[in-house]
Amino acid sequence: METLNHSRSLRPAALTMGIMTLCFLVILICPMYSLFSKAFLAADGSFAGLDNYREYFSTPALSVSIGNTVTVSTASAVLGTLIGFLYAYGLTRTNIRGKVLFRYAAMIPLFLPTVVHGLSLVYLFGNQGIVTGLGWDIGLYGRTGIIISEVIYTFPQSFLMFYIALRYADGRLYEAADTMGCGSFRKFRSITLPSVRYTLINSLFVCFTLAFTDFGAPKVLGGSYNVLATDIYKQVAGQFDMNMGAVVGTLLLIPAVISFGVDRITSGKNSGTISSKASRLVIKPSAARDAVFYVICGAITLSLIIMVAVLFMGAFTKYYPYDMGFTLENFRFNDSTGGIQSYINSIIMSILTAVFGTVFVFLYAYMIERSKAPGFLKGLGKLFSSLPLALPGMVIGLSFIFFFNQQSNPLNFIYGTVVILVLANIVHFYSVPFVTASSALKKLDREYENVTDSMKIPGWKGFFKVIVPLSLPAVLEIFLFYFMNAMVTVSAVVFLYSAQFKIASIAITHMEEAGDIAQAAAMSLLILFVNVAARAGYEVLVHRIKKKNEMRSLAEETSGERKKRSALKVQEA
């Protein structure tokens, strides 16, 4: 009888897990197969072998893009990692004031599309830029501009990695070093750097990959300086050479796959480095150190604030730099570049991405971590869930074209609709929410499922009544992550949007192409406002949940103490 009941309980879990894995197969594996197969086919559909790759590398104008991409990506990775480390060190290992402000300011680039980073640099260092007008021309367009923009893009990613790594340290090591008379530099070299070496390696690879695969900055600032991301755009959108676009797409995968492997290795080696007996690190007073890092963090924060300030200047002035009068006309967007409807479309797409992405990710993570589904399905689910981390946005968008645009595909009807944009975003940003959901679920006691089983309560009731409420902060975090990234994405959707459903980040690109940079700045501010509002709403909700949980815990402790006192009185009587 027990075996029969167990087999019956397995059926819903196996069926649900099987359906979700099949969905993942359709929206991830099949499109990627279409991309790779396209790279080895001729224009007429016949097998071409490596001919497309030979043609690409034998064309000087195209093959030089690889060298350019490696150059800007290497410089961006080194600078982004260095600045991210210094900023994180200042916030975790010094006594500077204003740490909360600095921490939130570091997130500013995440609230805006990478196209906008380039737009802000145009206002500052372009031919008519503010700094250029003061007599300092940095030669923005080309390699210099791309590197600066990519550093802005990669800095928050690096900062977050180092911020987490540096916050946790064993104070006993530093106390022992002090008793041995080690100086500050010796402690930094012998204790601090070794403790973050895997984070350093990971940051370099992540920043390199982000810069290697980014489309927004090179599109605005590249000029005649070609990189692989703009090559794909020119091959597909300009020349409709899908086969050559697939070739470049596969090349974009190389650093992403390497970065993925490095992340797997470093995350494994970097786990469990802090002992349970570790003591809290006490930061010693040092006026000189704090002054240096206050200047560093202040300068970086000021630069990020200026980046947003020039957007306000451009959006609310009549005709920069010739007529600096105040106006709201720039918020009356031209329909030819998308109009205000593109902003509304972005919000719709982002909400749909956040809702369906959160539901799929959390349910799939639950099925993998806590359900009674077969082990081989769980293993396959974990494999599929880690793959999106190695896929650049442009590669996902390109693979979706090749797969969903086939007339023989029964899912062809979603091509050119908001559905395909939502699916692309869910896949593109899937891995981080999955890790978040898995981590939250692993922290929950297994007894919850055992209790529901023993009381013969349906599993779905236990999931909605117990698991989801306990994991609500993680669910909200996943929702916010999906929403914000869908609002700012360019690369994943640049090939997939239709004229009937243009989104704000693409509209900004077209505004910049048409020379309407004031309207592009205005649209950028609208994206910034909605993302800041979403972040503020998230902070308020999480604060209320934590406060509610604390009050509940306090009430339970108080109730427990009352019961103990009552029991003692009864015993005494």
Side-chain angles (χ1 to χ4, degrees):
M1 182 64 73
E2 277 187 29
T3 306
L4 182 61
N5 290 334
H6 181 70
S7 63
R8 284 177 179 174
S9 67
L10 279 175
R11 288 174 189 171
L15 181 61
T16 304
M17 187 76 184
I19 292 173
M20 297 188 77
T21 303
L22 181 62
C23 291
F24 223 132
L25 184 71
V26 171
I27 65 174
L28 176 65
I29 306 302
C30 291
M32 291 307 300
Y33 173 77
S34 297
L35 171 71
F36 277 97
S37 62
K38 198 78 172 179
F40 296 96
L41 298 177
D44 59 1
S46 61
F47 183 72
L50 297 175
D51 289 348
N52 291 328
Y53 288 91
R54 293 191 190 97
E55 181 183 348
Y56 182 84
F57 286 107
S58 63
T59 306
L62 294 176
S63 59
V64 73
S65 300
I66 297 178
N68 292 344
T69 307
V70 171
T71 299
V72 298
S73 301
T74 302
S76 302
V78 172
L79 292 173
T81 297
L82 176 62
I83 296 172
F85 174 79
L86 291 175
Y87 201 85
Y89 191 90
L91 268 59
T92 56
R93 298 298 178 88
T94 70
N95 292 315
I96 61 174
R97 295 182 178 180
K99 290 184 178 182
V100 175
L101 171 64
F102 289 145
R103 183 162 56 87
Y104 280 110
M107 300 297 104
I108 290 175
L110 300 179
F111 295 155
L112 295 165
T114 55
V115 175
V116 179
H117 304 160
L119 193 65
S120 296
L121 292 175
V122 170
Y123 275 115
L124 288 169
F125 301 104
N127 295 331
Q128 301 294 330
I130 298 172
V131 177
T132 306
L134 298 175
W136 185 24
D137 186 358
I138 66 170
L140 179 68
Y141 298 99
R143 180 177 59 188
T144 302
I146 296 174
I147 291 174
I148 296 174
S149 186
E150 298 298 0
V151 169
I152 295 171
Y153 173 42
T154 58
F155 156 71
Q157 321 287 343
S158 178
F159 160 71
L160 289 172
M161 293 181 195
F162 284 115
Y163 184 74
I164 294 170
L166 289 169
R167 281 183 70 184
Y168 303 101
D170 191 346
R172 297 175 302 170
L173 298 176
Y174 292 87
E175 290 171 5
D178 288 335
T179 59
M180 294 173 65
C182 296
S184 298
F185 180 75
R186 180 77 179 273
K187 287 186 289 185
F188 176 80
R189 188 187 65 188
S190 303
I191 303 175
T192 304
L193 282 183
S195 70
V196 297
R197 62 184 181 276
Y198 293 119
T199 305
L200 176 64
I201 295 170
N202 207 19
S203 174
L204 286 169
F205 275 95
V206 167
C207 292
F208 181 90
T209 303
L210 290 172
F212 197 93
T213 58
D214 180 47
F215 170 75
K219 181 68 176 67
V220 176
L221 301 173
S224 59
Y225 193 85
N226 288 338
V227 294
L228 287 174
T230 52
D231 269 1
I232 291 183
Y233 187 75
K234 291 173 183 177
Q235 293 294 331
V236 175
Q239 302 177 26
F240 298 100
D241 190 343
M242 298 298 184
N243 302 89
M244 198 58 68
V247 168
V248 185
T250 57
L251 295 177
L252 277 180
L253 279 172
I254 296 173
V257 171
I258 295 173
S259 178
F260 170 75
V262 170
D263 177 71
R264 297 295 94 182
I265 295 170
T266 55
S267 61
K269 290 186 176 181
N270 206 24
S271 60
T273 55
I274 300 298
S275 168
S276 59
K277 298 179 181 179
S279 62
R280 188 174 67 88
L281 174 63
V282 178
I283 303 172
K284 294 185 176 182
S286 174
R289 177 204 62 204
D290 290 351
V292 169
F293 278 95
Y294 194 82
V295 170
I296 293 172
C297 295
I300 295 170
T301 299
L302 182 62
S303 299
L304 295 175
I305 292 173
I306 289 174
M307 186 182 79
V308 175
V310 294
L311 294 177
F312 277 91
M313 179 197 70
F316 290 102
T317 53
K318 290 182 179 179
Y319 187 46
Y320 174 84
Y322 306 105
D323 188 348
M324 299 297 288
F326 179 83
T327 184
L328 294 174
E329 286 296 315
N330 295 323
F331 288 87
R332 296 182 178 178
F333 303 106
N334 297 329
D335 290 336
S336 60
T337 51
I340 191 63
Q341 186 61 44
S342 64
Y343 180 66
I344 298 171
N345 290 344
S346 270
I347 294 176
I348 293 171
M349 179 194 71
S350 300
I351 291 174
L352 291 174
T353 299
V355 170
F356 289 103
T358 302
V359 170
F360 186 88
V361 167
F362 191 79
L363 182 57
Y364 202 47
Y366 175 80
M367 299 305 297
I368 292 172
E369 297 295 340
R370 304 181 73 90
S371 77
K372 296 177 180 178
F376 80 93
L377 279 178
K378 290 185 177 183
L380 198 60
K382 287 182 179 179
L383 174 63
F384 284 176
S385 297
S386 63
L387 290 179
L389 191 64
L391 300 178
M394 292 197 79
V395 172
I396 292 173
L398 202 59
S399 66
F400 271 43
I401 291 180
F402 297 148
F403 180 67
F404 289 104
N405 198 29
Q406 297 177 25
Q407 295 298 323
S408 58
N409 190 336
L411 297 175
N412 174 259
F413 68 93
I414 73 170
Y415 190 78
T417 68
V418 65
V419 176
I420 197 169
L421 300 179
V422 170
L423 289 177
N425 285 329
I426 289 174
V427 173
H428 184 202
F429 304 115
Y430 179 88
S431 293
V432 172
F434 178 79
V435 171
T436 302
S438 296
S439 300
L441 289 167
K442 285 176 181 177
K443 293 177 182 178
L444 299 182
D445 197 328
R446 289 277 178 183
E447 287 300 315
Y448 292 122
E449 281 85 356
N450 296 335
V451 170
T452 55
D453 287 344
S454 63
M455 297 179 68
K456 296 183 180 179
I457 298 173
W460 64 268
K461 269 192 176 180
F463 175 77
F464 285 108
K465 296 286 186 180
V466 179
I467 302 299
V468 172
L470 290 174
S471 306
L472 198 54
V475 171
L476 292 174
E477 186 177 344
I478 293 168
F479 184 94
L480 178 70
F481 182 87
Y482 263 127
F483 180 86
M484 288 179 54
N485 280 283
M487 281 297 299
V488 304
T489 186
V490 177
S491 59
V493 297
V494 69
F495 298 128
L496 300 175
Y497 75 94
S498 65
Q500 292 73 35
F501 200 90
K502 189 178 290 185
I503 60 174
S505 57
I506 299 298
I508 291 172
T509 304
H510 291 169
M511 290 170 186
E512 189 274 333
E513 286 178 347
D516 295 332
I517 60 171
Q519 289 198 358
M523 183 67 79
S524 303
L525 290 181
L526 293 181
I527 293 177
L528 177 65
F529 290 153
V530 74
N531 275 339
V532 169
R535 180 73 196 191
Y538 164 80
E539 296 285 355
V540 170
L541 286 173
V542 170
H543 177 72
R544 287 182 177 178
I545 292 170
K546 288 182 178 178
K547 193 172 182 180
K548 187 177 179 180
N549 291 338
E550 287 174 1
M551 291 177 66
R552 183 183 298 165
S553 299
L554 183 62
E556 289 175 355
E557 288 177 6
T558 305
S559 176
E561 289 296 327
R562 286 175 182 172
K563 289 179 179 178
K564 286 180 181 178
R565 284 198 295 267
S566 298
L568 287 172
K569 287 180 180 179
V570 170
Q571 288 177 359
E572 289 173 359

